[in-house]
Amino acid sequence: MTVTRFAPSPTGFIHVGNLRTALMNHLIAKKAGGTFILRIDDTDPERSKQEYVDAIQEDLEWLGLTWDKIEYQSSRLDRYAAAADELRANGRFYEAFETPTELDLKRKKQLNMHLPPVYDRAALNLSDEEKDKLRAERGQGVWRFKLDHERIEWTDGILGDLSIDAASVSDPVLIRQDGQVLYTIASVVDDTDMGVTHVVRGSDHVTNTATQIQIMAALGHSAPSFAHHSLLTGPQGEALSKRLGTLALRDLREAGVQPMALLSQMARLGSSQPVELCESIDELAAGFDLDHFGSAPTKFDVEDLYPLTARYLHGLPLAAVADQVAELGVPADLAEGFWNVARANITTLKDLPGWWELFRDGATPLVDDEDRDFVAQAFDMLPDPPYSAETWSEWTKAVKEATGRKGKGLFMPLRKAVTGLQRGPEMADVMTLLQKKPTL
Ligand code: GLU
């Protein structure tokens, strides 16, 4: 049984980078008919906010990335405490008392001597008396996991065979001085308790994975399959980290990006397969395979989402937007015609009201000086609405006969005068939607 999870920390809004993780895990579970867990990594009571927990769920629901189960780390603290006890009993957990300043000093010394800045394990040599004394002076220490100094190896679902020398990694702090359990151990306990079989996350977690594999083993568990996707960059390959704040999913929604456009792009970006607009998450899942992804940083251009959104809308039937069309005040008998004309001419649904206003109130005519008399004469020949599918051809035929104009010289000034635009939908269709007779 395939079990995956998406594990955001509710310390901010989720963005396109998080989405990649969420989507890949969701698709793997979906394709296998497995379980997708939404895990809220809220062990940090200061930075975790309910507002963000709600927002994460709202954003995922907007995209249709629904979850089978939701879990909160904050309600599993006893499980983490039990795991910590087990590590203590196994001799894999030790208390250390260095202050951040002392650690910093050690690191600087190591770097000066061209040594890797790895924690020197000085705390391992403390006697019980020394520890008591330090505790009396400084309060509780932090708890570090004692890594086995061997190579940690796994076959990564995206990066292939990986091997990390545990001696090049500091023994990770799993419990802070104030007793707060840190993500590294909480995640291990959750992944094993919840039977997670596949973990896909960003490549910034590769070192965590190495240590987590050892922690899992120390707790008597085997590791799930790990895969690390490359990080997103901007279109020029520039780091995206600073701009991720402006690429929150809710901002994209606000900007009119369609869920399937975003998901279609994210499911393929960084893979050997081209981005293709899919109609459903099931379709995305069917074609999804981690094997297609590579380790190179993945270029992301938010602008690419708009043509995809437009294409999605162009193929959308009225039924999918009937409520929004009705809300604009489009009469039911015109809804189909209106949507057929509008959908071919919009980029996002935010453009829709503008089209209805044009048909309802008329446009500000665009008239060149030399066409002014011609347009005035033509408008005089137009009856009042309602107009039919024949109105445009009948009207232009009559105008042609009366003025002698033909071709572009006939049609363009009238199109510009009626719609206020140089180009746009078929004029025969436009006429059927006009609610008022155009005037100058
Ligand atoms: N809360 C962690 C993060 O957002 C989860 C990482 C993981 O998937 O294990 O980075």
Side-chain angles (χ1 to χ4, degrees):
M1 166 78 162
T2 299
V3 182
T4 64
R5 74 331 185 255
F6 170 50
S9 307
T11 55
F13 296 120
I14 50 173
H15 48 65
V16 287
N18 306 119
L19 171 59
R20 199 145 183 249
T21 308
L23 178 61
M24 287 180 165
N25 285 295
H26 183 90
L27 294 181
I28 289 170
K30 176 143 246 170
K31 187 172 179 181
T35 302
F36 175 61
I37 301 173
L38 173 59
R39 190 183 85 199
I40 303 294
D41 282 6
D42 55 354
T43 50
D44 183 340
E46 240 137 66
R47 296 180 57 225
S48 302
K49 299 263 179 309
Q50 185 60 39
E51 174 198 356
Y52 296 126
V53 176
D54 296 340
I56 288 165
Q57 296 183 63
E58 201 181 280
D59 291 344
L60 292 176
E61 273 166 356
W62 167 61
L63 291 165
L65 298 182
T66 45
W67 48 94
D68 302 300
K69 254 202 244 171
I70 183 163
E71 301 276 4
Y72 295 85
Q73 289 196 324
S74 56
S75 59
R76 295 178 40 79
L77 298 178
D78 52 340
R79 288 293 304 135
Y80 311 143
D85 286 342
E86 204 177 322
L87 293 177
R88 264 181 217 108
N90 294 344
R92 296 298 294 276
F93 223 23
Y94 63 96
E95 202 174 4
F97 296 89
E98 288 90 348
T99 63
T101 321
E102 285 167 351
L103 289 173
D104 210 40
L105 208 67
K106 285 188 192 205
R107 265 196 297 270
K108 283 194 180 125
K109 275 191 194 155
Q110 287 166 317
L111 288 172
N112 277 339
M113 292 160 68
H114 302 287
L115 293 170
V118 176
Y119 176 60
D120 62 7
R121 297 184 155 176
L124 276 180
N125 302 323
L126 295 172
S127 66
D128 285 346
E129 293 74 48
E130 285 169 321
K131 284 190 207 167
D132 286 342
K133 189 164 169 270
L134 282 164
R135 231 176 261 122
E137 284 167 18
R138 303 184 170 193
Q140 297 295 315
V142 301
W143 285 85
R144 287 186 184 262
F145 176 72
K146 186 164 170 262
L147 288 165
D148 262 341
H149 281 178
E150 59 186 17
R151 294 203 79 87
I152 305 167
E153 301 185 326
W154 75 95
T155 302
D156 193 277
I158 293 174
L159 303 175
D161 287 338
L162 291 186
S163 167
I164 291 187
D165 181 4
S168 70
V169 182
S170 295
D171 288 339
V173 173
L174 302 188
I175 297 183
R176 291 203 323 196
Q177 193 184 23
D178 61 5
Q180 188 186 310
V181 171
L182 291 180
Y183 149 79
T184 313
I185 184 167
S187 187
V188 160
V189 172
D190 291 345
D191 285 340
T192 48
D193 280 2
M194 295 169 197
V196 170
T197 56
H198 295 72
V199 173
V200 183
R201 55 193 177 192
S203 51
D204 49 337
H205 281 290
V206 165
T207 308
N208 278 339
T209 295
T211 61
Q212 288 181 345
I213 287 174
Q214 277 208 1
I215 300 169
M216 282 178 184
L219 292 170
H221 301 291
S222 53
S225 304
F226 287 103
H228 297 84
H229 58 74
S230 62
L231 298 184
L232 294 180
T233 71
Q236 256 51 263
E238 72 276 21
L240 209 55
S241 44
K242 290 212 182 67
R243 286 186 38 221
L244 282 174
T246 64
L247 294 171
L249 300 187
R250 51 195 40 228
D251 297 334
L252 297 179
R253 175 171 67 210
E254 189 60 31
V257 168
Q258 280 290 316
M260 278 318 298
L262 183 53
L263 296 176
S264 297
Q265 187 202 36
M266 277 297 156
R268 288 290 173 82
L269 220 57
S271 81
S272 53
Q273 296 179 301
V275 173
E276 268 166 21
L277 185 62
C278 283
E279 270 173 34
S280 68
I281 294 178
D282 285 327
E283 194 185 332
L284 283 179
F288 185 79
D289 197 333
L290 277 185
D291 288 347
H292 295 141
F293 288 81
S295 59
T298 300
K299 287 185 182 156
F300 167 79
D301 189 346
V302 68
E303 290 307 322
D304 292 342
L305 291 169
Y306 294 98
L308 272 179
T309 291
R311 263 181 41 220
Y312 178 81
L313 294 174
H314 295 180
L316 210 59
L318 171 68
V321 289
D323 290 350
Q324 283 159 86
V325 170
E327 251 168 56
L328 291 177
V330 181
D333 60 327
L334 288 186
E336 189 84 48
F338 168 70
W339 174 243
N340 286 343
V341 167
R343 69 176 176 176
N345 288 279
I346 56 177
T347 304
T348 74
L349 285 176
K350 294 173 71 139
D351 301 333
L352 207 54
W355 280 100
W356 179 243
E357 275 164 33
L358 189 152
F359 298 132
R360 185 192 60 204
D361 305 335
T364 308
L366 193 63
V367 187
D368 297 335
D369 282 344
E370 68 266 27
D371 294 327
R372 190 154 291 276
D373 293 343
F374 163 72
V375 171
Q377 187 184 351
F379 277 1
D380 279 345
M381 298 172 66
L382 187 64
D384 284 327
Y387 300 130
S388 74
E390 281 72 50
T391 301
W392 174 252
S393 61
E394 287 166 4
W395 179 40
T396 50
K397 188 162 170 260
V399 173
K400 182 179 172 182
E401 275 160 17
T403 64
R405 285 212 193 196
K406 55 184 194 301
K408 247 185 129 192
L410 169 71
F411 299 122
M412 269 311 275
L414 295 182
R415 166 184 287 283
K416 279 157 55 180
V418 171
T419 65
L421 299 166
Q422 300 274 4
R423 64 188 72 81
E426 287 294 330
M427 287 305 293
D429 297 332
V430 168
M431 297 307 287
T432 63
L433 294 165
L434 288 185
Q435 304 296 293
K436 280 189 189 148
K437 181 178 143 98
T439 53
L440 271 176

